[in-house]
Structure formats: structure tokens, C-alpha cells
């Protein structure tokens, strides 16, 4: 007897290989690990239990989330902490079918509180290397600039990153978007591009379509993170579709900070129908009640999706990645073989 269709789709999500391209490693800090790190590093936090911490994860907008997000980071101090954080995410992601991850990290959020850049990046890199050897996953690092800090601070961070170019392949832009337009970081991105970094940016998340235009035309990004407000501008949508500019979307996070009232409002179905290279990601899963599979589950429950849509979203995750063409082809072949086997 066939299982109900939603259940079959949820199983398919977990069986298919996929990439995750919009994931803040600091946003994977589960309350249990936060409490352990607080004990290990003798840091005082305002929560006595994991349940108490989760109860505080009730956000009304981006800023209310960021306040708790940055507060929890105070428990990340030693290289070991960043390694443990990274490995915890990679194991969880692997259990849901993620085979490749391109991971954001926010060095300014750590260096500004006295944690050396080397401590942060070395711990994360060691975790990623361990995931390659023990889980067979591939990965790369995206160093984000905090847009509510100064361009000078971003440039200083970029200068520190240059000696780690073999570990960090891409630069990004995150944190409070409104009032911090992409053009604020024109010189930083120009320098990063001249040094060989790829470029992405959060744009059109809480700010208008103009921010997406700036990110594309001024910062010269190759992939848009969130981008929901792009649908306000038909010319922008046409450009994104025609030029096949990928867009990373994060359903549960977008509900969590109340950009949308329901998953059904998020324009993922529209993006697919237009032929956009849209893919599904978890953003800050510890805070928004779900990793990549749970984000797919939310979509399955809210909008019309079938098996072909699920496979397409998984394929898009590889198409949107910064893997080289041979690596993309290898993973897409693996995806096709898996989807064919599951369909039998």
C-alpha cells in the first residue's frame, strides 16, 4: 500500500543528495552545545536549561533574532569550540542527505570581542576537514562582512583573510540589511574580487529590490541570498531568470523573523515556475526550528510540490554551488541515479 504523498516526499527529501548553500555556522549553535560551551569556558548566559533557551527563540523581526544570536556567540571562545560547532552541523546535515555545504561565518562577530581571526577560521576549517575524511562531504567557506559595521572594519577583516585564501573561497554580506545598502561595501568587494574571491550577498531580504540591483551591479555578486523583494521589480526578475543567477531561499527562517506569515506566502513556487535556480536552505537552523530537511517538509505541507519539484530543488542546489563543473556533474549524476532508484 502506498504511503500518503506528503510522507513519500519527505522520505525522498532525506534520500536525495543535495547541497546547502545558505547556512550560518554560528546559527547552528544548539542550546545543548551552548550550555556545554558556557560551562567549559566559564561564560555566564541567561539560560539555565536548553528548554529555557529555546523558549526565548520567539522573534518578531530580524533585529530581535540578531540580539539573541550574537549573545549566544559569547560561548564560542577556543578553536575547539568552533571545531565542535562545525562538526555538529556537518553530522546533522549528512544525516539529511547534504553532501556539499558552503558555509557562512562571521569573523567580525568574534574578533570584535577579542577572539583572534585565526582561532575562528582554524577551528571551522578543522571541522570541515574532519567531515571530509569521516563523512565524505565536500565544503567551502564564505566569509561574511557584517553590514551594520563599518567598511573599514570589513576591509581590515578582508586583509586578515588573505593568508587563508586556500580555506575561504567566497565573501558575503549579512546582518542588519535596512539602512546598510550594498554600495556601502563597494571598495571591499572590489578588493575581494581582485584577490580572487567569489562574491554573494544577502539582498532583498528585508530591504527593497533596489538592494538586489546594487548587489548585482555594484558588488558584482554571483548568487543572491534570500532576494524575496526582487519580485517587486519585473525587470530584475527577468534579469535573474535570463542570466541564471542563483537564489538561496530559507523558508523557516523567513517565517521566524516574520517576513512572511506563512510558508505558503514565500515565492518559491513562483521562482520554480519562472525557471529560477532557486534552492532550499536552513539559514540558522538552531533558532528557526529546522535543518534543510525540515525546511523541505514545511514546503511540502504548504505549497503544491511533486517528486519532480523535489528533485529539481536538489539539482538546483548543485547548479547554484561554487563547485567546479566536473564536481557538479558528479553530484548531479549521483542525484539522478538516486532519484531513479527511489522511483522504482
Amino acid at each position: 500500500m502506498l504511503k500518503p504523498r506528503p510522507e513519500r516526499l519527505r522520505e525522498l527529501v532525506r534520500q536525495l543528495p543535495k547541497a546547502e548553500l545558505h547556512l550560518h555556522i554560528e546559527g547552528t549553535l544548539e542550546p545543548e552545545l551552548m550550555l556545554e560551551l558556557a560551562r567549559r569556558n566559564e561564560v555566564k548566559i541567561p539560560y539555565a536549561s536548553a528548554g529555557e533557551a529555546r523558549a526565548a527563540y520567539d522573534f518578531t523581526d530580524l533585529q530581535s533574532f540578531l540580539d539573541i544570536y550574537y549573545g549566544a556567540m559569547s560561548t564560542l571562545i577556543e578553536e575547539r569550540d568552533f571545531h565542535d560547532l562545525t562538526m555538529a552541523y556537518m553530522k546533522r546535515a549528512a544525516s539529511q542527505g547534504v553532501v556539499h555545504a558552503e558555509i557562512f561565518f562571521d569573523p567580525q562577530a568574534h574578533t570584535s570581542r577579542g577572539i583572534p581571526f585565526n582561532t575562528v577560521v582554524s577551528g571551522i576549517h578543522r571541522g570541515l576537514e574532519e567531515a571530509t575524511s569521516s563523512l565524505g562531504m565536500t565544503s567551502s567557506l564564505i566569509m561574511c562582512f557584517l553590514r551594520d559595521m563599518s567598511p573599514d572594519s570589513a576591509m581590515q577583516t578582508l586583509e586578515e583573510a588573505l593568508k587563508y585564501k586556500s580555506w575561504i573561497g567566497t565573501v558575503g554580506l549579512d546582518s542588519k540589511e535596512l539602512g546598510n545598502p550594498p554600495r556601502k561595501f563597494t571598495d571591499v568587494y572590489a578588493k575581494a574580487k581582485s584577490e580572487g574571491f567569489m562574491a554573494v550577498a544577502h539582498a532583498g531580504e528585508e530591504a527593497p529590490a533596489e538592494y538586489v540591483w546594487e548587489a548585482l551591479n555594484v558588488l558584482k555578486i554571483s548568487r543572491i541570498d534570500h532576494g524575496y523583494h526582487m519580485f517587486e521589480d519585473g525587470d530584475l526578475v527577468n534579469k535573474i531568470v535570463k542570466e541564471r543567477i542563483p537564489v538561496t531561499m530559507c523558508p523557516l527562517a523567513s517565517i521566524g523573523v516574520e517576513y512572511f506569515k506563512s510558508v505558503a506566502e514565500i515565492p518559491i513556487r513562483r521562482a520554480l515556475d519562472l525557471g529560477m535556480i532557486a534552492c532550499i536552505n536552513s539559514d540558522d537552523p538552531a533558532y528557526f526550528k529546522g535543518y534543510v530537511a525540515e525546511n523541505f517538509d514545511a514546503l511540502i505541507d504548504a505549497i503544491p510540490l511533486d517528486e519532480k519539484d523535489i528533485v529539481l530543488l536538489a539539482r538546483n542546489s548543485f547548479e547554484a554551488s561554487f563547485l567546479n563543473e566536473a564536481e557538479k556533474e558528479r553530484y548531479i549524476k549521483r542525484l539522478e541515479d538516486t532519484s531513479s532508484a527511489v522511483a522504482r
Side-chain angles (χ1 to χ4, degrees):
M1 184 175 178
L2 281 177
K3 295 178 181 177
R5 188 174 192 179
E7 187 176 338
R8 296 203 315 272
L9 292 180
R10 282 189 280 270
E11 287 184 1
L12 178 63
V13 164
R14 286 155 177 80
Q15 292 169 323
L16 293 179
K18 63 191 75 69
E20 179 149 40
L21 310 178
H22 188 137
L23 184 284
H24 299 268
I25 197 63
E26 294 91 348
T28 69
L29 182 55
E30 293 287 345
E32 291 81 4
L33 180 56
M34 177 175 62
L35 290 166
E36 168 60 20
L37 295 179
R39 182 199 61 77
R40 196 158 86 189
N41 294 324
E42 299 182 343
V43 174
K44 289 184 178 180
I45 56 174
Y47 314 113
S49 68
E52 190 177 324
R54 283 198 174 87
Y57 296 175
D58 184 16
F59 313 116
T60 56
D61 56 20
L62 181 61
Q63 192 57 55
S64 64
F65 157 65
L66 291 173
D67 290 342
I68 288 180
Y69 175 73
Y70 290 128
M73 283 189 207
S74 66
T75 62
L76 293 162
I77 294 176
E78 305 294 340
E79 180 182 322
R80 174 188 172 191
D81 305 336
F82 292 94
H83 164 271
D84 291 353
L85 176 70
T86 303
M87 270 307 295
Y89 162 71
M90 296 296 271
K91 287 177 181 177
R92 185 87 167 249
S95 74
Q96 296 191 347
V98 175
V99 295
H100 175 73
E102 296 180 3
I103 292 175
F104 296 126
F105 76 113
D106 291 332
Q108 290 160 289
H110 308 295
T111 56
S112 63
R113 57 189 179 86
I115 309 302
F117 187 103
N118 178 67
T119 296
V120 179
V121 73
S122 295
I124 297 172
H125 176 72
R126 189 159 59 86
L128 297 180
E129 289 287 286
E130 185 175 333
T132 298
S133 60
S134 65
L135 301 171
M137 298 175 72
T138 54
S139 61
S140 64
L141 265 180
I142 303 172
M143 182 182 73
C144 284
F145 305 116
L146 300 184
R147 64 199 312 153
D148 47 357
M149 295 184 73
S150 71
D152 286 345
S153 174
M155 189 66 82
Q156 181 180 349
T157 300
L158 178 60
E159 293 290 348
E160 281 198 83
L162 293 181
K163 65 175 73 74
Y164 302 99
K165 285 167 68 173
S166 62
W167 295 358
I168 304 167
T170 307
V171 296
L173 191 62
D174 64 8
S175 199
K176 183 64 176 175
E177 186 180 13
L178 278 174
N180 295 293
R183 64 178 180 275
K184 177 178 173 182
F185 298 92
T186 302
D187 292 345
V188 180
Y189 267 70
K191 170 71 171 173
K193 297 278 279 189
S194 74
E195 292 287 349
F197 291 99
M198 300 294 289
V200 300
H202 289 47
E205 179 182 12
E206 60 174 350
E210 176 189 352
Y211 279 49
V212 183
W213 278 115
E214 279 191 15
L216 292 170
N217 294 336
V218 178
L219 301 188
K220 310 295 186 186
I221 66 169
S222 300
R223 190 167 72 211
I224 301 163
D225 296 316
H226 293 300
Y228 305 115
H229 284 274
M230 65 187 170
F231 289 102
E232 299 168 353
D233 187 322
D235 290 340
L236 177 58
V237 168
N238 290 339
K239 175 183 175 68
I240 290 166
V241 171
K242 182 179 179 181
E243 298 182 15
R244 297 185 58 76
I245 301 167
V247 183
T248 64
M249 294 185 171
C250 310
L252 292 178
S254 299
I255 299 301
V257 294
E258 298 193 358
Y259 292 143
F260 300 97
K261 295 300 182 184
S262 71
V263 174
E265 295 177 14
I266 302 172
I268 293 169
R269 178 75 266 172
R270 185 176 175 188
L272 291 179
D273 291 344
L274 287 168
M276 283 186 184
I277 307 177
C279 59
I280 303 305
N281 308 269
S282 64
D283 204 345
D284 300 283
Y287 296 93
F288 297 123
K289 303 179 178 66
Y291 288 74
V292 69
E294 288 79 22
N295 275 267
F296 271 94
D297 291 348
L299 285 180
I300 290 165
D301 291 338
I303 65 174
L305 288 177
D306 60 20
E307 287 84 353
K308 289 181 180 179
D309 294 320
I310 300 298
V311 174
L312 175 60
L313 285 165
R315 182 188 181 97
N316 284 351
S317 72
F318 295 121
E319 295 281 7
S321 75
F322 291 135
L323 291 162
N324 64 42
E325 290 305 313
E327 291 170 324
K328 287 183 183 182
E329 288 177 11
R330 177 168 60 87
Y331 275 132
I332 290 171
K333 176 65 163 57
R334 181 172 164 185
L335 169 65
E336 292 171 345
D337 290 347
T338 304
S339 61
S340 297
V342 170
R344 291 193 190 110

